[in-house]
Amino acid sequence: MGGQNKDNAGCGVRQSRDERGRREAMPEAPFLRDVMSPRRGRPPAPGIGDARPFPRDAGSTELNGRELNWQPNERYRLSPLFSVWRRPLPQNASGLPDTLSHTLSGTGPPENPPGKPPERPTTAETPAAGGPNGAAAASSGADPHALGLSGGVRVLVQPEDGPHAVIGLIAAAQRSILIKQFTFDHPEILEAVIAAHRNGRDVRVMLNPHRSSGDRANDATEARLRQEGITVAWTSPRFAVTHEKSAVIDDSHALIATFNLSEKYFALTRDYGLVIQDRAAIAEIRACFESDWNHAPFHPPSGSSLLWSTANARHMMSAFIDSARETLDIQHPKFVDTTILDRIANARERGVKVRVLCGGRHGISEWDVLDTFSALRILYRLNVRVHKQKNMRLHAKLLIADDRRALVGSMNIDRSAFDLRRELGLIVTDPGAVKRLRGIFADDWEESRHYDAPDPLQAHTETEDDFPHDADLMHE
């Protein structure tokens, strides 16, 4: 197109000549213009309150340890074809990003920034197989099998376990409760938090102020908590959205979940939660809570089994996939990141048996459906078995490698989940935890059916008739 500059270094979207670096619209492609171009802050839709622009009015976000700024009063959405604000991490002699190299190789990280959680001890490791594209695990000469919590992990499965597992965790608190949530409006869980506060527990709650659409789902909960005298805050403006779903109880237990604290995620969707007792991991989750509470940077320690967006999640998920030798099971609704798609394809090419359990069209936004359907079709051509969840709506985010390691977290396989949002996940090797996750996946797979993803350009013809349409369930 005439009048365009070359790609800006480190970004996948062409820049206009505007000195402020605004993204250029694409006049001849209305859909791309809608999802890529800056748009002036529009009045909030009726009934959703003071919906601020996305990202927030002005400021910065932390991406791979760097500050990135945006112009005030502009709205950006990711194109289904490009990644916005993606910049490579500094690399060391091994060719790995510094953070992942330290995590996998055990060579030790640079000195901790102030306020960073203490480093974990690392373990001597052996080389692991990689792929032709320079898999992270192989490049580092490290064994990703060494990562992961090996004990003290309890799995929550929804809807089988219901909300009472979470209510019981909150009711057991003796001193303190920290909650960070994307959506929190479950009446019984809310009452349990209020009861804990009334019983003298130190309760702090951090809520995401608005979804990517601008809808504000937490305003009523925020008002109720504040009315009860509970300390409540909106999540850090360093991130476009905080999609993390976590809780820390007495600094002795923590919950990492794929489910939101809303009724539908305990009744209508497949979701998972992990209750952990590992003190180092819990201290790390608390440290991030405090950083986000104070709108400050957070730097994960090396050797951690936790995945954090926007710091290390894409690299650790890639390394997890690269570690698979025999089998790789994936239960995810979205496939909107070409790096992860490449890793999955690479696993299949080296002989790993890959099964993908997706959710079809349900909950996939118009700007994500092109990538998701295209990715599923590409994987099918590579002889990956692709099925669609049939017994309930799919909201879970689960990977299982070789029936021995599992990765559960809030992040979808989505470039913005890795690059723009606060997300939290965990790698586990606890035999009991992996066994239960493997069993649920096997049951869901047995009830599922082969899925032929439609032509992405004909996605509008796809009808989801398995369940009633739920306009409120849109995968971030």
Side-chain angles (χ1 to χ4, degrees), residues 395-407:
H395 186 256
K397 303 98 169 71
L398 168 69
L399 295 91
I400 304 174
D402 299 326
D403 289 339
R404 292 189 292 273
R405 299 175 302 286
L407 193 164

Side-chain angles (χ1 to χ4, degrees), residues 183-194:
T183 306
F184 183 8
D185 58 10
H186 193 290
E188 293 179 75
I189 299 176
L190 181 58
E191 291 304 320
V193 170
I194 292 171

Side-chain angles (χ1 to χ4, degrees), residues 215-294:
D215 293 347
R216 299 179 64 89
N218 289 318
D219 283 353
T221 298
E222 191 269 350
R224 175 73 192 284
L225 292 172
R226 199 173 294 280
Q227 181 183 18
E228 292 289 340
I230 294 175
T231 305
V232 60
W234 298 118
T235 51
S236 173
R238 301 176 70 86
F239 305 95
V241 167
T242 290
H243 196 233
E244 178 182 343
K245 308 120 178 2
S246 69
V248 177
I249 310 298
D250 293 336
D251 291 330
S252 63
H253 293 75
L255 169 67
I256 300 169
T258 72
F259 52 80
N260 299 299
L261 298 184
S262 297
E263 289 183 282
K264 72 175 65 180
Y265 301 99
F266 297 92
L268 301 176
T269 66
R270 169 63 74 222
D271 269 296
Y272 301 110
L274 302 174
V275 179
I276 65 172
Q277 301 179 57
D278 182 88
R279 293 303 180 101
I282 293 169
E284 186 177 334
I285 297 170
R286 183 184 181 108
C288 183
F289 184 96
E290 300 293 351
S291 293
D292 287 359
W293 185 272
N294 294 304

Side-chain angles (χ1 to χ4, degrees), residues 97-115:
D98 289 337
T99 53
L100 187 64
S101 175
H102 297 311
T103 299
L104 294 180
S105 68
T107 56
E111 184 178 352
N112 294 342

Side-chain angles (χ1 to χ4, degrees), residues 146-190:
L147 292 177
L149 293 191
S150 59
V153 180
R154 179 162 64 99
V155 174
L156 305 183
V157 178
Q158 303 301 347
E160 285 83 343
D161 292 342
H164 296 290
V166 178
I167 293 170
L169 191 66
I170 293 168
Q174 298 298 308
R175 298 184 305 278
S176 64
I177 300 171
L178 304 177
I179 295 174
K180 192 193 301 184
Q181 268 295 321
F182 175 67
T183 306
F184 183 8
D185 58 10
H186 193 290
E188 293 179 75
I189 299 176
L190 181 58

Side-chain angles (χ1 to χ4, degrees), residues 335 354-358 375-381 383-389 445 448-453:
F335 294 84
V354 182
R355 295 187 293 179
V356 169
L357 190 52
C358 71
L376 294 173
R377 288 159 67 91
I378 290 169
L379 291 174
Y380 178 69
R381 293 190 198 106
N383 293 320
V384 170
R385 299 180 67 189
V386 178
H387 279 205
K388 177 183 174 183
Q389 186 104 17
W445 182 267
S448 67
R449 296 294 180 268
H450 169 73
Y451 183 61
D452 282 315

Side-chain angles (χ1 to χ4, degrees), residues 264 267-269 359 361-364 388-394 463-474:
K264 72 175 65 180
L268 301 176
T269 66
R361 179 68 172 84
H362 185 78
I364 306 298
K388 177 183 174 183
Q389 186 104 17
K390 299 292 285 188
N391 51 348
M392 66 192 74
R393 296 178 177 92
L394 177 59
T463 301
E464 291 296 317
D465 55 4
D466 297 312
F467 312 103
H469 178 68
D470 183 355
D472 192 47
L473 182 60
M474 187 65 65

